Amino acid sequence: MTDIKKEENKKDNSPPTTPPTSTNNDNNVKEENKINKVDDNVKENENDNEKEIKIERSLTENLNQRFYNNNNKNNNENENIDYKNFKTIKDFGYYYNDKGELRSIEGEEKFKFVNQQHYDRLGDIIVKTIQNKMKSEPINLEEHWIPKGETNQCNIFTSKDFFENKSKLMVFINGSGAVKSGQWARSLCINDTLDSGSILPYLNDAISNGFSIIVLNPNYNKFEEKIIDEDDDNEKEEKKEEKEEEKDEKEDDKPKKKKRFDNSIKGSENSNNHILTVYDEFIKKSPATDIVIVAHSFGGVNTTYLLDNRGEEIGDKLKAVAFTDSVHSLSPKSSSFTKSFYADENKTKNWVKSEKKLNTDLGFSKLQGCNLASAGHTVHEFTSSTCRIPLFKFILNSLKK
């Protein structure tokens, strides 16, 4: 596991371990009592959606502000650079050393924040770097672009034995914000190490323990430019075909009506839709008799949504849910299956940020409906990496019950 630096325990600006609760508007109580039950349900759903959006926005803002300051905001030389043209980490003057640390090619210095476009573009390319590692030895995951046959697609990953492993399956769900499939925290992938910021150590542990794997991508909701590897001939060919199609359209003299381009991804318009789509198209078809879920941060909200909507289907197979600083909460509308599964201390646990020693029992959370344990770190983003060992022990023990 990654060694944690002392300076990372400085003032904590991380998002709350549990989501904030909303209060009723006293002025509207009388009027609301006149509304029929159908309208009440609609309003409750809207409030829940707004609540989740606020939680997700809060998490994203905290993630974006945690580890960097605008060290170069007075450096006008960087203002006119279009970083969208950068295709590799090397283009930014960085590389990953053997310890998984991002360092400058010249001077071996840590990452320095330039501006948001620079940071975001580098982050996008780092996603590709991680996903390439996921597809390479010794992990060897397969990449799937969904939905098939559509122009707008997002990618997920499965182990090669996903449709053959009849024993056990591990499902990975990351948090909200800019992170994509394969990441826990983009800020750590840039400012700390790939071991702390990515799911790579988890994948190695899952494989060594005989699990098949599926890695979801709940934040990939709109079509994005595919970053082409210089040595990827298949992706080069796809790019070439796209350019040829664009050329043919320009050469067509026939007048065309302008159409509004919808870049949303069918079945993954939002994170909750993505979870259900991947369940219906992949997880449901796995022959594994035992399924476990590992979810970080807002991934806990998505997991709860999955259990509320597919609990009866997945119930017999689901053996454990392991959260890392999840921000989910239960409500009166939560399904009985979700409530009972979360309440079982042998099946569900949330490792939360805490000053307490790693894996210290922190009791039962009524708001979240599950038992809590210390992740051994006070910073939200580090929780997944610091609690990995006790988390896997918990999962393996749950399979013996």
Side-chain angles (χ1 to χ4, degrees), residues 224-283:
E224 299 177 7
E225 172 204 3
K226 292 182 182 179
I227 299 174
I228 308 299
D229 286 346
E230 294 178 355
D231 57 349
D232 196 323
D233 294 332
N234 290 330
E235 290 188 340
K236 278 185 179 180
E237 189 62 31
E238 287 181 11
K239 198 72 174 179
K240 182 180 178 182
E241 290 175 0
E242 288 177 6
K243 288 183 178 180
E244 289 177 352
E245 288 176 3
E246 291 176 1
K247 183 178 180 182
D248 291 339
E249 289 178 1
K250 289 179 180 179
E251 292 176 352
D252 190 351
D253 294 328
K254 293 181 181 180
K256 296 180 179 179
K257 293 182 179 179
K258 291 184 177 180
K259 294 182 179 180
R260 184 178 179 180
F261 180 67
D262 181 9
N263 63 350
S264 63
I265 298 172
K266 186 178 180 181
S268 294
E269 297 87 354
N270 56 55
S271 59
N272 282 338
N273 286 355
H274 176 81
I275 300 299
L276 295 187
T277 295
V278 175
Y279 174 82
D280 292 339
E281 297 298 323
F282 286 86
I283 299 173

Side-chain angles (χ1 to χ4, degrees), residues 196-389:
S196 65
S198 78
I199 70 170
L200 296 176
Y202 274 80
L203 296 178
N204 287 320
D205 284 351
I207 292 170
S208 65
N209 283 286
F211 286 90
S212 60
I213 293 167
I214 186 165
V215 186
L216 279 65
N217 206 355
N219 299 322
Y220 201 150
N221 310 128
K222 296 182 179 181
F223 174 78
E224 299 177 7
E225 172 204 3
K226 292 182 182 179
I227 299 174
I228 308 299
D229 286 346
E230 294 178 355
D231 57 349
D232 196 323
D233 294 332
N234 290 330
E235 290 188 340
K236 278 185 179 180
E237 189 62 31
E238 287 181 11
K239 198 72 174 179
K240 182 180 178 182
E241 290 175 0
E242 288 177 6
K243 288 183 178 180
E244 289 177 352
E245 288 176 3
E246 291 176 1
K247 183 178 180 182
D248 291 339
E249 289 178 1
K250 289 179 180 179
E251 292 176 352
D252 190 351
D253 294 328
K254 293 181 181 180
K256 296 180 179 179
K257 293 182 179 179
K258 291 184 177 180
K259 294 182 179 180
R260 184 178 179 180
F261 180 67
D262 181 9
N263 63 350
S264 63
I265 298 172
K266 186 178 180 181
S268 294
E269 297 87 354
N270 56 55
S271 59
N272 282 338
N273 286 355
H274 176 81
I275 300 299
L276 295 187
T277 295
V278 175
Y279 174 82
D280 292 339
E281 297 298 323
F282 286 86
I283 299 173
K284 185 178 179 179
K285 299 175 182 178
S286 165
T289 56
D290 298 336
I291 297 176
V292 300
I293 298 174
V294 179
H296 174 61
S297 191
F298 198 81
V301 176
N302 299 141
T303 301
T304 304
Y305 187 80
L306 172 63
L307 269 57
D308 282 343
N309 288 275
R310 298 291 189 272
E312 293 182 2
E313 295 182 26
I314 197 174
D316 293 337
K317 288 188 171 185
L318 187 64
K319 304 302 180 185
V321 173
F323 294 122
T324 60
D325 216 19
S326 168
V327 296
H328 76 278
S329 62
L330 297 185
S331 72
K333 294 191 301 180
S334 299
S335 72
S336 58
F337 172 80
T338 304
K339 291 177 181 178
S340 62
F341 195 94
Y342 282 7
D344 190 332
E345 62 180 5
N346 296 315
K347 294 181 178 180
T348 304
K349 185 173 289 188
N350 185 14
W351 280 265
V352 300
K353 61 178 183 175
S354 171
E355 294 179 351
K356 299 289 185 180
K357 184 180 178 181
L358 175 63
N359 211 36
T360 298
D361 184 3
L362 299 180
F364 184 86
S365 168
K366 292 183 179 180
L367 181 63
Q368 297 196 305
C370 66
N371 278 73
L372 308 181
S374 171
H377 206 286
T378 59
V379 177
H380 175 72
E381 292 87 346
F382 278 95
T383 53
S384 295
S385 65
T386 55
C387 74
R388 178 171 56 87
I389 291 177

